């Protein structure tokens, strides 16, 4: 059985002492192994990134941009090949994997505009004969730690901007589906990125802790679950690093009584059960306002009865398996415990049986869910949609603002005034108006509020340029042939 190896300084490393299993979620079988880095191996990757830094940060911006233009072409030409790797190890259906790659390409396109992004500012004559300008310089070695659910897109959220800004990177992808990250790093090399600028180490807490503690790592970008995001933020900040740590979510979709019920129903189903609910922007709570609830629940119940669940490689599958057996069983436990908590189980996906041995589960719909229930409070990260019934718009806003998470939310309404007020009122980082999964395009930045993000900067887009650069401000005077004077006073510009 093959082993997915680290890629350090452009070379795959020798076999590792410690490994983990990579499953095919559609069959339940182990299909290959992945190397788990020791702290020393993680340090070797950091050393390679550190050694590559002086050369990369001095490369011309045009040469850097060239790499991204070529990478974009490789990704566009070979989307199918990369998407197949995603489906193989993650399980999501192929069309969804293709969508993931195309969203990742947006980040590469953004990075290709780096000449524009890295422009500084200049003010002439701030004092007589004195000018000031600012430049954006790389922070140094960046460590990027990514989750299993978007093995192409989330690494590209980080590495595209970090590299464009002149940094070098050590990427630690999820150990559950690591092959896509190695494919990406090889594609970067093929596009002309010098060896050592992007290194990949695989593994678990051992590798991550080594990156968090390394004095040669300047910044950490993390995306994953909230408890790990919080601990990464605390440990890396205590070590004096710049950190952005994006966590989990519990995304609410509000449906007002005046909403177009057909589009709201279709949107709720797509956003709740797409990718088997394993999206940080998945809708997991449907907030039905007023008397629309009965029709909404009935519409969802009727449509999900015919959802096709099967291997991601089967073109007729609309939803694939979950990532692991343990995760599937944990998701199932929320559904089986829901009735005892007082929820109404409208559709119980745990009862559905499957011919294949993969990590499949049916979709579930729970009604009459309330705050305080486990199904409401926890991020389930599976195909389970909870309906909370409220009387008014104000109740919906109060519910969402009281929730610990603040990643994404949406409102479905025909009333522009209500939508505008929602945008103003809601304490959530990304908002959709009649759009259920409002993941910003690559020219904007992505980020949640509250327990969905620890740190100051959102990820990709303009905020990533801020995160991956340090500002340097230069004040300049050139001799103008006036006699030089000694003055011990504090320089005044008046
Ligand atoms: P996870 O937190 O288990 O793992 C994320 C990364 O951290 C992986 O690389 C993993 O190897 C590493 N890791 C795990 N345990 C660790 C530990 N104790 N110490 C150090 N490193 C550790 O997350 P996951 O299960 O891979 O991904 C799903 C989670 O990610 C969900 O909570 C989802 O909402 C979240 N997510 C958030 C966003 C976002 O943008 N906010 C995007 C995608 C996924």
């Amino acid at each position: 059985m093959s082993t997915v190896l680290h890629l350090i300084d452009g070379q795959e490393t020798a076999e590792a002492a410690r490994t983990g299993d990579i499953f095919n979620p559609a069959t339940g079988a182990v299909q290959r192994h992945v190397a788990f880095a020791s702290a020393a191996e993680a340090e070797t990757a950091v050393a390679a990134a550190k050694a590559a830094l002086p050369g990369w940060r001095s490369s011309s911006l045009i040469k850097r941009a060239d790499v991204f233009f070529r990478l974009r072409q490789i990704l566009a030409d070979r989307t199918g090949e990369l998407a197949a790797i995603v489906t193989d190890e993650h399980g999501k259906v192929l069309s969804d994997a293709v969508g993931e790659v195309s969203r990742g390409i947006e980040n590469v396109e953004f990075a290709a505009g780096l000449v524009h992004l890295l422009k500084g500012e200049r003010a002439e004559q701030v004092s007589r004969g004195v000018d000031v300008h600012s430049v954006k310089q790389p922070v140094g070695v960046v460590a990027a730690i990514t989750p299993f659910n978007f093995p192409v897109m989330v690494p590209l959220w980080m590495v595209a901007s970090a590299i464009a800004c002149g940094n070098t990177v050590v990427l630690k992808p999820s150990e559950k589906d690591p092959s896509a990250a190695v494919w990406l790093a090889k594609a970067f090399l093929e596009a002309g990125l010098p060896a050592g600028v992007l290194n990949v180490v695989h593994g678990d807490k051992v590798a991550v802790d080594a990156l968090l503690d390394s004095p040669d790592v300047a910044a950490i970008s993390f995306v994953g679950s909230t408890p790990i995001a919080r601990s990464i933020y605390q440990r890396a900040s205590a070590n004096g690093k710049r950190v952005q740590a994006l966590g989990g979510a519990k995304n609410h979709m509000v449906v007002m009584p005046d909403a177009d019920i057909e589009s709201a129903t279709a949107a709720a189903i797509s956003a709740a059960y797409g990718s088997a609910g394993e999206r940080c922007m998945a809708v997991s709570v449907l907030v039905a306002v007023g008397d629309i609830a009965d029709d909404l629940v009935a519409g969802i119940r009727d449509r999900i009865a015919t959802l096709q669940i099967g291997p991601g490689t089967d073109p007729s599958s609309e939803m694939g398996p979950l990532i692991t057996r343990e995760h599937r069983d944990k998701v199932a436990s929320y559904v089986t415990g829901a009735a005892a908590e007082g929820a109404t189980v409208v559709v119980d996906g745990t009862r559905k049986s499957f011919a294949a041995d993969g990590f499949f589960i049916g979709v579930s719909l729970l009604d009459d869910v309330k705050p305080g229930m486990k199904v409401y409070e926890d991020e389930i990260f599976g195909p389970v949609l909870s309906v909370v019934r409220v009387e008014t718009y104000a109740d919906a806003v109060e519910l969402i603002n009281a929730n610990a998470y603040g990643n994404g939310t949406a409102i479905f309404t025909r009333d522009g005034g209500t939508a505008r007020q929602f945008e103003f009122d809601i304490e959530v980082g990304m908002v959709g108006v009649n759009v259920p999964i409002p993941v910003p395009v690559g020219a904007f930045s992505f980020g949640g509020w509250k327990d969905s993000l620890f740190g100051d900067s959102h990820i990709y887009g303009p905020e990533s340029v801020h995160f991956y650069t340090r500002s340097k401000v230069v004040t300049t005077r050139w001799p103008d042939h006036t006699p030089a004077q000694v003055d011990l006073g504090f320089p005044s510009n008046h």
Side-chain angles (χ1 to χ4, degrees):
M1 199 172 278
S2 64
T3 302
V4 180
L5 300 167
H6 315 304
L7 191 95
I8 299 176
D9 204 17
Q11 303 289 325
E12 276 178 324
T13 54
E15 294 285 328
R18 230 163 39 98
T19 60
D21 292 336
I22 303 174
F23 290 90
N24 177 341
T27 64
V30 175
Q31 54 174 340
R32 56 187 76 90
H33 299 299
V34 55
F36 273 17
S38 62
E41 284 167 320
E43 267 303 333
T44 306
V46 173
K50 189 181 176 189
L53 185 62
W56 183 243
R57 68 160 293 215
S58 5
S59 63
S60 78
L61 299 189
I62 299 299
K63 182 172 176 325
R64 279 189 226 167
D66 262 353
V67 171
F68 288 99
F69 282 114
R70 276 192 236 113
L71 179 67
R72 193 218 171 270
Q73 200 55 48
I74 293 170
L75 289 168
D77 291 345
R78 291 161 61 192
T79 294
E81 180 188 328
L82 183 54
I85 293 171
V86 172
T87 294
D88 187 45
E89 293 186 354
H90 175 285
K92 65 177 75 173
V93 298
L94 205 51
S95 55
D96 197 28
V98 167
E100 167 177 356
V101 175
S102 78
R103 293 308 300 261
I105 288 176
E106 285 178 22
N107 305 119
V108 176
E109 288 166 346
F110 178 80
L114 60 96
V115 180
H116 177 65
L117 303 171
L118 292 174
K119 284 178 193 161
E121 292 180 318
R122 183 177 183 95
E124 187 184 55
Q125 196 75 348
V126 294
S127 187
R128 273 185 186 282
V130 177
D131 304 330
V132 177
H133 72 275
S134 66
V135 290
K136 297 174 188 175
Q137 297 192 338
V139 292
V141 175
V142 171
I145 302 151
T146 56
F148 80 82
N149 67 326
F150 284 106
V152 171
M153 183 182 77
V154 173
L156 284 173
W157 282 2
M158 303 171 183
V159 303
S161 284
I163 290 173
C165 292
N167 302 284
T168 56
V169 177
V170 177
L171 167 64
K172 207 303 282 174
S174 170
E175 67 283 15
K176 298 189 176 93
D177 47 12
S179 294
V182 177
W183 191 102
L184 277 179
K186 289 180 178 171
F188 263 106
L189 288 171
E190 199 180 319
L193 190 74
V197 177
L198 173 58
N199 307 277
V200 182
V201 289
H202 305 287
D204 53 7
K205 184 171 167 39
V206 174
V208 173
D209 286 351
L211 297 173
L212 301 181
D213 294 343
S214 170
D216 290 327
V217 172
I220 304 282
S221 290
F222 173 90
V223 173
S225 58
T226 287
I228 309 294
R230 186 184 279 114
S231 71
I232 298 270
Y233 180 75
Q234 288 168 347
R235 186 163 177 157
S237 334
N239 286 335
K241 301 186 195 313
R242 198 176 272 207
V243 197
Q244 54 178 183
L246 282 73
K250 195 80 183 176
N251 305 310
H252 295 60
M253 172 175 151
V254 178
V255 184
M256 296 298 294
D258 70 341
D260 176 331
I261 189 148
E262 276 185 24
S263 63
T265 304
I269 293 169
S270 312
Y273 305 117
S275 200
E278 291 175 324
R279 292 182 183 138
C280 64
M281 289 290 274
V283 166
S284 49
V285 182
L286 195 61
V287 186
V289 180
D291 58 8
I292 202 165
D294 286 344
D295 290 344
L296 205 52
V297 169
I300 294 171
R301 180 199 60 211
D302 294 348
R303 173 61 183 89
I304 62 179
T306 57
L307 273 185
Q308 294 299 309
I309 303 169
T313 48
D314 181 343
S316 68
S317 301
E318 293 171 278
M319 189 186 111
L322 292 179
I323 185 72
T324 58
R325 182 172 286 111
E326 295 71 32
H327 185 54
R328 192 258 321 266
D329 294 347
K330 189 167 175 214
V331 170
S333 73
Y334 281 104
V335 178
T336 48
E341 291 196 291
T344 305
V345 182
V346 182
V347 178
D348 181 349
T350 65
R351 290 169 183 268
K352 192 171 171 70
S353 52
F354 294 91
D357 279 340
F359 310 138
F360 292 100
I361 189 169
V363 299
S364 296
L365 179 62
L366 311 175
D367 198 358
D368 303 310
V369 172
K370 295 189 172 55
M373 297 179 182
K374 269 176 78 62
V375 284
Y376 179 78
E377 299 297 336
D378 294 0
E379 181 187 38
I380 299 174
F381 220 54
V384 181
L385 179 61
S386 297
V387 179
V388 177
R389 295 175 179 238
V390 298
E391 290 298 317
T392 64
Y393 164 84
D395 296 339
V397 170
E398 194 183 329
L399 176 82
I400 297 170
N401 286 353
N403 195 272
Y405 296 103
N407 213 38
T409 189
I411 187 163
F412 277 68
T413 179
R414 287 188 168 101
D415 184 326
T418 305
R420 184 183 180 279
Q421 193 61 41
F422 186 73
E423 173 189 331
F424 185 82
D425 290 337
I426 215 68
E427 292 172 14
V428 173
M430 292 169 285
V431 180
V433 175
N434 298 315
V435 172
I437 307 183
V439 176
V441 292
F444 287 77
S445 298
F446 177 111
W449 288 12
K450 302 189 272 185
D451 284 358
S452 295
L453 190 150
F454 303 91
D456 305 315
S457 299
H458 288 194
I459 208 160
Y460 71 75
E463 292 204 25
S464 69
V465 178
H466 176 69
F467 184 76
Y468 292 126
T469 58
R470 289 185 288 189
S471 172
K472 187 179 275 178
V473 183
V474 183
T475 304
T476 308
R477 182 206 301 275
W478 288 101
D480 56 3
H481 309 295
T482 50
Q485 286 178 344
V486 173
D487 180 355
L488 300 192
F490 193 63
S492 157
N493 296 324
H494 292 288

